[in-house]
């Protein structure tokens, strides 16, 4: 296998756009970590046109998946935490090529988990939690219990990721195993929701109640980055201005819901501006308290 890796890296080294290459060996007969291939190569490039391209091939009876990604997309994925397999590859993969120690520096920064990255990830996870939690409450009221269950399970998943991030860790692919050691209470709720003998409606309502008391109390902490943006100028912000802010780009679609909750929890306030005097249209803008 080492000989195969050396030959593959020699080929990739000739491409000046390639910054780093890492390898992930298949840990089992079939592993979702490598999509079942014997070897996964992650090629990091400064060529945006090649990002997300994939190649499957065989060399010396070794089935190989080669995946390309550009640095800008990689940075976004790390913050968003969506592709947890990729984060695992970055942290655990074998570095085969690393020009200007790009990958080594990135790995070190992820392990260090700086405060700004942590605040950003907390805001993203909280906004996703809030969406699923709110939808589950609505489905329960309409007696759509399976939809309510599905959404509260997703909300609980985001809650688990929140407590893991608060502990200074990156959420792994096996979130529930990870959260069991970080916050047994959240893990216990997961067991209650999925394995309790109570009715489906009772299980969903139990978790909704826990979310209301535990996670909603984290709103100020999790929305710190958004609150800081609101306080960064004296003039109130329109929704459009906030959605164009680079720091809030990852929660653009969830901003209306989050802002509404911040106002109701008296963590932000609405300011009314006249948009069109002729038709008496008033614009809602937002600022800190």
């Amino acid at each position: 296998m080492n000989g195969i890796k050396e030959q593959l890296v020699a080929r990739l080294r000739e491409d000046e756009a390639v910054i780093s290459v890492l390898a992930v060996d298949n840990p089992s007969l079939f592993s979702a970590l490598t999509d079942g291939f014997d070897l996964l190569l992650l090629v990091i490039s400064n060529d945006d046109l090649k990002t997300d391209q994939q190649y499957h091939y065989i060399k010396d009876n070794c089935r190989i998946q080669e995946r390309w990604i550009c640095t800008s997309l990689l940075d976004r994925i790390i913050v968003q935490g969506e592709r947890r397999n990729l984060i695992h590859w970055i942290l655990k993969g074998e570095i085969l090529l690393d020009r200007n120690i790009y990958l080594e520096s990135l790995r070190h920064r992820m392990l260090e988990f700086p405060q700004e990255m942590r605040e950003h990830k907390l805001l993203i996870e909280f906004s996703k939690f809030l969406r699923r939690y709110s939808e589950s409450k609505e489905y329960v009221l309409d007696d759509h219990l399976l939809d309510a269950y599905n959404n509260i399970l997703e909300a609980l998943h985001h809650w688990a990721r929140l407590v893991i991030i608060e502990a200074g860790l990156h959420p792994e692919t096996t979130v529930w195993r990870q959260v069991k050691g970080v916050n047994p209470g959240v893990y216990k709720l997961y067991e209650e929701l999925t394995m309790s003998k109570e009715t489906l409606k009772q299980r969903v309502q139990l978790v909704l109640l826990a979310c209301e008391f535990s996670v909603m109390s984290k709103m100020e902490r999790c929305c710190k980055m958004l609150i800081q943006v609101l306080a960064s100028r004296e003039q109130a912000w329109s929704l459009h201005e906030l959605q164009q802010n680079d720091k809030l780009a990852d929660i653009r679609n969830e901003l209306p819901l989050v802002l509404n909750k911040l106002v109701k929890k008296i963590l932000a306030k609405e300011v009314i501006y006249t948009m069109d005097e002729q038709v008496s249209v008033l614009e809602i803008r937002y600022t800190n308290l």
Side-chain angles (χ1 to χ4, degrees):
M1 183 68 79
N2 287 335
I4 294 174
K5 292 176 183 177
E6 289 174 3
Q7 293 176 49
L8 294 173
V9 169
R11 170 178 59 84
L12 293 166
R13 188 179 282 113
E14 296 176 0
D15 188 339
E16 294 182 357
V18 173
I19 298 172
S20 302
V21 180
L22 65 78
V24 180
D25 295 318
N26 190 342
S28 61
L29 183 62
F30 179 86
S31 173
L33 184 65
T34 62
D35 295 333
F37 286 82
D38 301 319
L39 176 67
L40 181 140
L41 283 183
L42 182 66
V43 182
I44 302 169
S45 169
N46 57 19
D47 185 354
D48 291 356
L49 296 178
K50 289 187 176 181
T51 197
D52 263 348
Q53 290 190 9
Q54 300 181 32
Y55 306 94
H56 295 170
Y57 50 91
I58 297 174
K59 181 172 179 57
D60 299 337
N61 294 320
C62 178
R63 299 177 72 254
I64 300 165
Q65 178 176 195
E66 183 179 303
R67 304 183 67 148
W68 287 63
I69 190 168
C70 66
T71 54
S72 57
L73 178 59
L74 182 57
D75 287 340
R76 290 201 303 272
I77 290 172
I78 289 171
V79 171
Q80 293 170 350
E82 290 277 336
R83 304 187 199 174
R84 292 188 299 281
N85 271 357
L86 190 144
I87 292 174
H88 180 90
W89 301 338
I90 296 294
L91 292 176
K92 305 292 186 180
E94 177 189 358
I95 298 176
L96 304 179
L97 172 65
D98 200 19
R99 289 174 174 148
N100 301 320
I101 62 170
Y102 167 82
L103 196 51
E104 191 65 43
S105 299
L106 178 62
R107 180 180 287 179
H108 178 74
R109 186 164 65 93
M110 289 177 65
L111 291 171
E112 197 175 59
F113 210 171
Q115 189 67 26
E116 185 177 358
M117 182 186 292
R118 196 177 307 179
E119 300 291 350
H120 200 160
K121 291 174 81 71
L122 282 174
L123 180 58
I124 292 170
E125 288 300 329
F126 183 81
S127 68
K128 292 177 180 178
F129 158 81
L130 188 58
R131 173 62 64 187
R132 294 301 187 183
Y133 161 79
S134 301
E135 289 182 351
S136 183
K137 282 185 70 174
E138 185 175 342
Y139 283 134
V140 166
L141 291 175
D142 293 336
D143 215 31
H144 300 311
L145 296 182
L146 289 176
D147 292 302
Y149 174 85
N150 181 60
N151 277 274
I152 200 59
L153 182 60
E154 286 290 328
L156 195 54
H157 185 90
H158 291 301
W159 183 358
R161 289 166 62 80
L162 279 172
V163 298
I164 291 168
I165 294 167
E166 284 182 313
L169 303 170
H170 288 276
E172 299 173 358
T173 52
T174 51
V175 167
W176 294 114
R177 183 178 66 181
Q178 189 181 15
V179 82
K180 189 175 183 179
V182 174
N183 191 317
V186 176
Y187 182 81
K188 181 66 175 177
L189 275 175
Y190 172 69
E191 287 187 321
E192 290 288 337
L193 179 64
T194 57
M195 293 180 277
S196 171
K197 294 181 179 179
E198 300 287 346
T199 67
L200 185 61
K201 187 172 186 177
Q202 288 173 328
R203 284 182 277 156
V204 171
Q205 288 176 327
L206 170 67
V207 179
L208 282 171
L209 187 62
C211 288
E212 183 68 37
F213 282 100
S214 298
V215 184
M216 299 307 270
S217 66
K218 297 176 180 288
M219 181 177 289
E220 185 172 10
R221 170 75 183 89
C222 294
C223 295
K224 183 178 179 181
M225 179 173 284
L226 172 54
I227 293 171
Q228 287 176 338
V229 170
L230 291 174
S232 64
R233 72 181 198 188
E234 292 184 6
Q235 183 183 357
W237 296 76
S238 69
L239 174 62
H240 177 72
E241 288 175 327
L242 290 169
Q243 289 178 324
Q244 298 307 307
N245 189 289
D246 291 341
K247 291 184 177 180
L248 307 177
D250 294 313
I251 65 161
R252 181 178 291 114
N253 294 330
E254 306 301 342
L255 260 175
L257 178 62
V258 177
L259 286 167
N260 185 48
K261 286 294 183 181
L262 284 176
V263 170
K264 288 183 176 180
K265 292 291 183 179
I266 320 179
L267 295 172
K269 67 179 180 180
E270 296 177 347
V271 180
I272 305 301
Y273 283 74
T274 301
M275 288 182 64
D276 190 330
E277 293 183 355
Q278 293 183 346
V279 292
S280 301
V281 174
L282 302 177
E283 180 187 20
I284 301 173
R285 297 186 186 180
Y286 302 90
T287 187
N288 66 311
L289 294 177

